Amino acid sequence: DSFAGKPLSRDLNSTDSQIWTGQMTNGDYIVALFNRENIEQTRFFAINTLGEESMLVRDLWEHTDLGKQRNLNYTIPAHGCKVFRLSKAE
């Protein structure tokens, strides 16, 4: 799909550098929440950052549809990640 993700921030001291987004050719988004720390951390991503009030969310690791969401707010284990596909709600 020629997908390329980018961090919300290039500042490695910012937790936003551990949240990456990218858009696919069909308009869906991929959002990845990373934790580079040695202890579990919470990562928060507001869907309206993408210009949408809410979107349909699919957890790509768990292969689970999570329904319509306004935010992604997850506790990520040390050195872990969560990856989601976000689609416009019809």
Side-chain angles (χ1 to χ4, degrees), residues 35-58:
N35 179 8
R36 294 189 308 256
E37 312 304 325
N38 291 323
I39 60 171
E40 72 179 16
Q41 299 278 308
T42 299
R43 297 287 178 259
F44 176 84
F45 179 78
I47 303 283
N48 66 12
T49 302
L50 303 173
E52 299 289 331
E53 183 177 321
S54 63
M55 296 183 86
L56 296 173
V57 176
R58 179 167 178 82

PDB file of all heavy atoms in Angstrom, residues 35-58:
ATOM      1  N   ASN A  35       5.738   2.101  23.385  1.00  0.00           N
ATOM      2  CA  ASN A  35       6.300   2.403  24.704  1.00  0.00           C
ATOM      3  C   ASN A  35       7.769   1.982  24.695  1.00  0.00           C
ATOM      4  O   ASN A  35       8.078   0.809  24.774  1.00  0.00           O
ATOM      5  CB  ASN A  35       5.536   1.675  25.817  1.00  0.00           C
ATOM      6  CG  ASN A  35       6.123   1.960  27.180  1.00  0.00           C
ATOM      7  OD1 ASN A  35       7.004   2.797  27.346  1.00  0.00           O
ATOM      8  ND2 ASN A  35       5.644   1.252  28.174  1.00  0.00           N
ATOM      9  N   ARG A  36       8.660   2.975  24.603  1.00  0.00           N
ATOM     10  CA  ARG A  36      10.097   2.693  24.625  1.00  0.00           C
ATOM     11  C   ARG A  36      10.644   2.637  26.050  1.00  0.00           C
ATOM     12  O   ARG A  36      11.817   2.381  26.252  1.00  0.00           O
ATOM     13  CB  ARG A  36      10.852   3.790  23.857  1.00  0.00           C
ATOM     14  CG  ARG A  36      10.546   3.828  22.376  1.00  0.00           C
ATOM     15  CD  ARG A  36      11.472   4.781  21.633  1.00  0.00           C
ATOM     16  NE  ARG A  36      11.529   6.103  22.187  1.00  0.00           N
ATOM     17  CZ  ARG A  36      10.941   7.185  21.681  1.00  0.00           C
ATOM     18  NH1 ARG A  36      10.242   7.086  20.574  1.00  0.00           N
ATOM     19  NH2 ARG A  36      11.057   8.355  22.254  1.00  0.00           N
ATOM     20  N   GLU A  37       9.800   2.872  27.023  1.00  0.00           N
ATOM     21  CA  GLU A  37      10.235   2.965  28.420  1.00  0.00           C
ATOM     22  C   GLU A  37      10.390   1.579  29.052  1.00  0.00           C
ATOM     23  O   GLU A  37       9.915   0.582  28.528  1.00  0.00           O
ATOM     24  CB  GLU A  37       9.240   3.803  29.220  1.00  0.00           C
ATOM     25  CG  GLU A  37       8.849   5.117  28.563  1.00  0.00           C
ATOM     26  CD  GLU A  37      10.013   6.024  28.223  1.00  0.00           C
ATOM     27  OE1 GLU A  37      11.008   6.055  28.983  1.00  0.00           O
ATOM     28  OE2 GLU A  37       9.940   6.706  27.191  1.00  0.00           O
ATOM     29  N   ASN A  38      11.033   1.554  30.220  1.00  0.00           N
ATOM     30  CA  ASN A  38      11.249   0.302  30.958  1.00  0.00           C
ATOM     31  C   ASN A  38      10.097  -0.070  31.883  1.00  0.00           C
ATOM     32  O   ASN A  38      10.151  -1.111  32.538  1.00  0.00           O
ATOM     33  CB  ASN A  38      12.546   0.390  31.768  1.00  0.00           C
ATOM     34  CG  ASN A  38      13.768   0.406  30.870  1.00  0.00           C
ATOM     35  OD1 ASN A  38      13.804  -0.263  29.854  1.00  0.00           O
ATOM     36  ND2 ASN A  38      14.761   1.187  31.250  1.00  0.00           N
ATOM     37  N   ILE A  39       9.092   0.773  31.968  1.00  0.00           N
ATOM     38  CA  ILE A  39       7.890   0.485  32.768  1.00  0.00           C
ATOM     39  C   ILE A  39       6.662   0.748  31.898  1.00  0.00           C
ATOM     40  O   ILE A  39       6.744   1.453  30.892  1.00  0.00           O
ATOM     41  CB  ILE A  39       7.829   1.346  34.057  1.00  0.00           C
ATOM     42  CG1 ILE A  39       7.812   2.834  33.714  1.00  0.00           C
ATOM     43  CG2 ILE A  39       8.981   1.023  34.989  1.00  0.00           C
ATOM     44  CD1 ILE A  39       7.546   3.752  34.886  1.00  0.00           C
ATOM     45  N   GLU A  40       5.520   0.160  32.282  1.00  0.00           N
ATOM     46  CA  GLU A  40       4.317   0.381  31.494  1.00  0.00           C
ATOM     47  C   GLU A  40       3.954   1.869  31.507  1.00  0.00           C
ATOM     48  O   GLU A  40       4.220   2.578  32.469  1.00  0.00           O
ATOM     49  CB  GLU A  40       3.164  -0.488  31.981  1.00  0.00           C
ATOM     50  CG  GLU A  40       2.551  -0.105  33.291  1.00  0.00           C
ATOM     51  CD  GLU A  40       1.399  -1.012  33.674  1.00  0.00           C
ATOM     52  OE1 GLU A  40       1.223  -2.107  33.114  1.00  0.00           O
ATOM     53  OE2 GLU A  40       0.654  -0.607  34.582  1.00  0.00           O
ATOM     54  N   GLN A  41       3.384   2.318  30.396  1.00  0.00           N
ATOM     55  CA  GLN A  41       3.024   3.708  30.203  1.00  0.00           C
ATOM     56  C   GLN A  41       1.658   3.779  29.536  1.00  0.00           C
ATOM     57  O   GLN A  41       1.285   2.889  28.771  1.00  0.00           O
ATOM     58  CB  GLN A  41       4.038   4.406  29.297  1.00  0.00           C
ATOM     59  CG  GLN A  41       5.449   4.449  29.817  1.00  0.00           C
ATOM     60  CD  GLN A  41       5.644   5.575  30.789  1.00  0.00           C
ATOM     61  OE1 GLN A  41       5.314   6.716  30.495  1.00  0.00           O
ATOM     62  NE2 GLN A  41       6.162   5.250  31.963  1.00  0.00           N
ATOM     63  N   THR A  42       0.939   4.871  29.775  1.00  0.00           N
ATOM     64  CA  THR A  42      -0.329   5.109  29.100  1.00  0.00           C
ATOM     65  C   THR A  42      -0.094   6.012  27.903  1.00  0.00           C
ATOM     66  O   THR A  42       0.655   6.987  27.995  1.00  0.00           O
ATOM     67  CB  THR A  42      -1.344   5.751  30.055  1.00  0.00           C
ATOM     68  OG1 THR A  42      -1.577   4.860  31.146  1.00  0.00           O
ATOM     69  CG2 THR A  42      -2.662   6.036  29.359  1.00  0.00           C
ATOM     70  N   ARG A  43      -0.693   5.657  26.792  1.00  0.00           N
ATOM     71  CA  ARG A  43      -0.629   6.480  25.587  1.00  0.00           C
ATOM     72  C   ARG A  43      -2.056   6.877  25.216  1.00  0.00           C
ATOM     73  O   ARG A  43      -2.977   6.058  25.247  1.00  0.00           O
ATOM     74  CB  ARG A  43       0.005   5.731  24.416  1.00  0.00           C
ATOM     75  CG  ARG A  43       1.445   5.344  24.652  1.00  0.00           C
ATOM     76  CD  ARG A  43       2.371   6.556  24.570  1.00  0.00           C
ATOM     77  NE  ARG A  43       3.733   6.170  24.843  1.00  0.00           N
ATOM     78  CZ  ARG A  43       4.339   6.360  26.019  1.00  0.00           C
ATOM     79  NH1 ARG A  43       3.687   6.928  27.013  1.00  0.00           N
ATOM     80  NH2 ARG A  43       5.591   5.992  26.188  1.00  0.00           N
ATOM     81  N   PHE A  44      -2.215   8.150  24.835  1.00  0.00           N
ATOM     82  CA  PHE A  44      -3.524   8.709  24.483  1.00  0.00           C
ATOM     83  C   PHE A  44      -3.431   9.342  23.105  1.00  0.00           C
ATOM     84  O   PHE A  44      -2.478  10.080  22.817  1.00  0.00           O
ATOM     85  CB  PHE A  44      -3.947   9.762  25.507  1.00  0.00           C
ATOM     86  CG  PHE A  44      -5.232  10.453  25.155  1.00  0.00           C
ATOM     87  CD1 PHE A  44      -6.448   9.883  25.494  1.00  0.00           C
ATOM     88  CD2 PHE A  44      -5.221  11.662  24.482  1.00  0.00           C
ATOM     89  CE1 PHE A  44      -7.642  10.508  25.160  1.00  0.00           C
ATOM     90  CE2 PHE A  44      -6.408  12.293  24.148  1.00  0.00           C
ATOM     91  CZ  PHE A  44      -7.618  11.714  24.486  1.00  0.00           C
ATOM     92  N   PHE A  45      -4.406   9.028  22.255  1.00  0.00           N
ATOM     93  CA  PHE A  45      -4.488   9.643  20.933  1.00  0.00           C
ATOM     94  C   PHE A  45      -5.927  10.060  20.680  1.00  0.00           C
ATOM     95  O   PHE A  45      -6.847   9.235  20.755  1.00  0.00           O
ATOM     96  CB  PHE A  45      -4.037   8.657  19.843  1.00  0.00           C
ATOM     97  CG  PHE A  45      -4.133   9.222  18.464  1.00  0.00           C
ATOM     98  CD1 PHE A  45      -3.178  10.101  18.002  1.00  0.00           C
ATOM     99  CD2 PHE A  45      -5.185   8.879  17.636  1.00  0.00           C
ATOM    100  CE1 PHE A  45      -3.263  10.637  16.729  1.00  0.00           C
ATOM    101  CE2 PHE A  45      -5.279   9.410  16.360  1.00  0.00           C
ATOM    102  CZ  PHE A  45      -4.313  10.289  15.905  1.00  0.00           C
ATOM    103  N   ALA A  46      -6.139  11.348  20.398  1.00  0.00           N
ATOM    104  CA  ALA A  46      -7.474  11.869  20.094  1.00  0.00           C
ATOM    105  C   ALA A  46      -7.741  11.708  18.601  1.00  0.00           C
ATOM    106  O   ALA A  46      -6.950  12.178  17.772  1.00  0.00           O
ATOM    107  CB  ALA A  46      -7.572  13.328  20.498  1.00  0.00           C
ATOM    108  N   ILE A  47      -8.837  11.055  18.261  1.00  0.00           N
ATOM    109  CA  ILE A  47      -9.194  10.816  16.866  1.00  0.00           C
ATOM    110  C   ILE A  47      -9.359  12.133  16.107  1.00  0.00           C
ATOM    111  O   ILE A  47      -9.036  12.219  14.924  1.00  0.00           O
ATOM    112  CB  ILE A  47     -10.494   9.975  16.768  1.00  0.00           C
ATOM    113  CG1 ILE A  47     -10.351   8.659  17.510  1.00  0.00           C
ATOM    114  CG2 ILE A  47     -10.933   9.788  15.322  1.00  0.00           C
ATOM    115  CD1 ILE A  47      -9.578   7.575  16.859  1.00  0.00           C
ATOM    116  N   ASN A  48      -9.809  13.191  16.799  1.00  0.00           N
ATOM    117  CA  ASN A  48     -10.016  14.463  16.098  1.00  0.00           C
ATOM    118  C   ASN A  48      -8.712  15.054  15.572  1.00  0.00           C
ATOM    119  O   ASN A  48      -8.728  15.974  14.763  1.00  0.00           O
ATOM    120  CB  ASN A  48     -10.808  15.463  16.930  1.00  0.00           C
ATOM    121  CG  ASN A  48     -10.090  15.929  18.180  1.00  0.00           C
ATOM    122  OD1 ASN A  48      -8.895  15.694  18.363  1.00  0.00           O
ATOM    123  ND2 ASN A  48     -10.823  16.586  19.049  1.00  0.00           N
ATOM    124  N   THR A  49      -7.565  14.510  15.991  1.00  0.00           N
ATOM    125  CA  THR A  49      -6.276  14.890  15.422  1.00  0.00           C
ATOM    126  C   THR A  49      -6.257  14.610  13.922  1.00  0.00           C
ATOM    127  O   THR A  49      -5.571  15.294  13.160  1.00  0.00           O
ATOM    128  CB  THR A  49      -5.133  14.100  16.113  1.00  0.00           C
ATOM    129  OG1 THR A  49      -5.178  14.365  17.505  1.00  0.00           O
ATOM    130  CG2 THR A  49      -3.771  14.457  15.559  1.00  0.00           C
ATOM    131  N   LEU A  50      -7.044  13.623  13.493  1.00  0.00           N
ATOM    132  CA  LEU A  50      -7.119  13.239  12.090  1.00  0.00           C
ATOM    133  C   LEU A  50      -8.226  13.970  11.344  1.00  0.00           C
ATOM    134  O   LEU A  50      -8.483  13.689  10.172  1.00  0.00           O
ATOM    135  CB  LEU A  50      -7.331  11.723  11.974  1.00  0.00           C
ATOM    136  CG  LEU A  50      -6.277  10.856  12.650  1.00  0.00           C
ATOM    137  CD1 LEU A  50      -6.696   9.392  12.615  1.00  0.00           C
ATOM    138  CD2 LEU A  50      -4.915  11.069  12.006  1.00  0.00           C
ATOM    139  N   GLY A  51      -8.924  14.888  12.033  1.00  0.00           N
ATOM    140  CA  GLY A  51      -9.988  15.650  11.396  1.00  0.00           C
ATOM    141  C   GLY A  51     -11.347  14.978  11.425  1.00  0.00           C
ATOM    142  O   GLY A  51     -12.270  15.428  10.750  1.00  0.00           O
ATOM    143  N   GLU A  52     -11.482  13.926  12.191  1.00  0.00           N
ATOM    144  CA  GLU A  52     -12.755  13.205  12.327  1.00  0.00           C
ATOM    145  C   GLU A  52     -13.183  13.211  13.787  1.00  0.00           C
ATOM    146  O   GLU A  52     -12.339  13.131  14.675  1.00  0.00           O
ATOM    147  CB  GLU A  52     -12.609  11.757  11.858  1.00  0.00           C
ATOM    148  CG  GLU A  52     -12.214  11.598  10.411  1.00  0.00           C
ATOM    149  CD  GLU A  52     -13.322  11.963   9.441  1.00  0.00           C
ATOM    150  OE1 GLU A  52     -14.515  11.818   9.806  1.00  0.00           O
ATOM    151  OE2 GLU A  52     -12.998  12.388   8.330  1.00  0.00           O
ATOM    152  N   GLU A  53     -14.475  13.286  14.028  1.00  0.00           N
ATOM    153  CA  GLU A  53     -14.976  13.252  15.405  1.00  0.00           C
ATOM    154  C   GLU A  53     -14.798  11.875  16.029  1.00  0.00           C
ATOM    155  O   GLU A  53     -14.422  11.741  17.187  1.00  0.00           O
ATOM    156  CB  GLU A  53     -16.449  13.650  15.425  1.00  0.00           C
ATOM    157  CG  GLU A  53     -17.028  13.720  16.815  1.00  0.00           C
ATOM    158  CD  GLU A  53     -18.474  14.179  16.795  1.00  0.00           C
ATOM    159  OE1 GLU A  53     -18.809  15.071  16.003  1.00  0.00           O
ATOM    160  OE2 GLU A  53     -19.260  13.618  17.580  1.00  0.00           O
ATOM    161  N   SER A  54     -15.078  10.844  15.238  1.00  0.00           N
ATOM    162  CA  SER A  54     -14.898   9.468  15.686  1.00  0.00           C
ATOM    163  C   SER A  54     -14.657   8.601  14.459  1.00  0.00           C
ATOM    164  O   SER A  54     -14.977   8.995  13.339  1.00  0.00           O
ATOM    165  CB  SER A  54     -16.117   8.973  16.474  1.00  0.00           C
ATOM    166  OG  SER A  54     -17.261   8.952  15.646  1.00  0.00           O
ATOM    167  N   MET A  55     -14.078   7.421  14.698  1.00  0.00           N
ATOM    168  CA  MET A  55     -13.807   6.495  13.598  1.00  0.00           C
ATOM    169  C   MET A  55     -13.998   5.067  14.090  1.00  0.00           C
ATOM    170  O   MET A  55     -13.976   4.811  15.300  1.00  0.00           O
ATOM    171  CB  MET A  55     -12.384   6.684  13.074  1.00  0.00           C
ATOM    172  CG  MET A  55     -12.133   8.062  12.459  1.00  0.00           C
ATOM    173  SD  MET A  55     -10.479   8.252  11.763  1.00  0.00           S
ATOM    174  CE  MET A  55     -10.765   7.584  10.123  1.00  0.00           C
ATOM    175  N   LEU A  56     -14.191   4.156  13.139  1.00  0.00           N
ATOM    176  CA  LEU A  56     -14.250   2.735  13.464  1.00  0.00           C
ATOM    177  C   LEU A  56     -12.826   2.253  13.686  1.00  0.00           C
ATOM    178  O   LEU A  56     -11.935   2.537  12.872  1.00  0.00           O
ATOM    179  CB  LEU A  56     -14.912   1.958  12.328  1.00  0.00           C
ATOM    180  CG  LEU A  56     -16.370   2.306  12.051  1.00  0.00           C
ATOM    181  CD1 LEU A  56     -16.851   1.591  10.794  1.00  0.00           C
ATOM    182  CD2 LEU A  56     -17.238   1.950  13.242  1.00  0.00           C
ATOM    183  N   VAL A  57     -12.603   1.523  14.772  1.00  0.00           N
ATOM    184  CA  VAL A  57     -11.259   1.121  15.165  1.00  0.00           C
ATOM    185  C   VAL A  57     -11.145  -0.397  15.140  1.00  0.00           C
ATOM    186  O   VAL A  57     -12.020  -1.106  15.629  1.00  0.00           O
ATOM    187  CB  VAL A  57     -10.921   1.664  16.581  1.00  0.00           C
ATOM    188  CG1 VAL A  57      -9.562   1.183  17.040  1.00  0.00           C
ATOM    189  CG2 VAL A  57     -11.005   3.179  16.603  1.00  0.00           C
ATOM    190  N   ARG A  58     -10.041  -0.873  14.589  1.00  0.00           N
ATOM    191  CA  ARG A  58      -9.712  -2.300  14.604  1.00  0.00           C
ATOM    192  C   ARG A  58      -8.322  -2.473  15.194  1.00  0.00           C
ATOM    193  O   ARG A  58      -7.369  -1.832  14.760  1.00  0.00           O
ATOM    194  CB  ARG A  58      -9.753  -2.894  13.196  1.00  0.00           C
ATOM    195  CG  ARG A  58      -9.397  -4.379  13.188  1.00  0.00           C
ATOM    196  CD  ARG A  58      -9.751  -5.025  11.864  1.00  0.00           C
ATOM    197  NE  ARG A  58      -9.370  -6.436  11.836  1.00  0.00           N
ATOM    198  CZ  ARG A  58     -10.080  -7.435  12.351  1.00  0.00           C
ATOM    199  NH1 ARG A  58     -11.224  -7.178  12.972  1.00  0.00           N
ATOM    200  NH2 ARG A  58      -9.670  -8.685  12.277  1.00  0.00           N
TER     201      ARG A  58
END
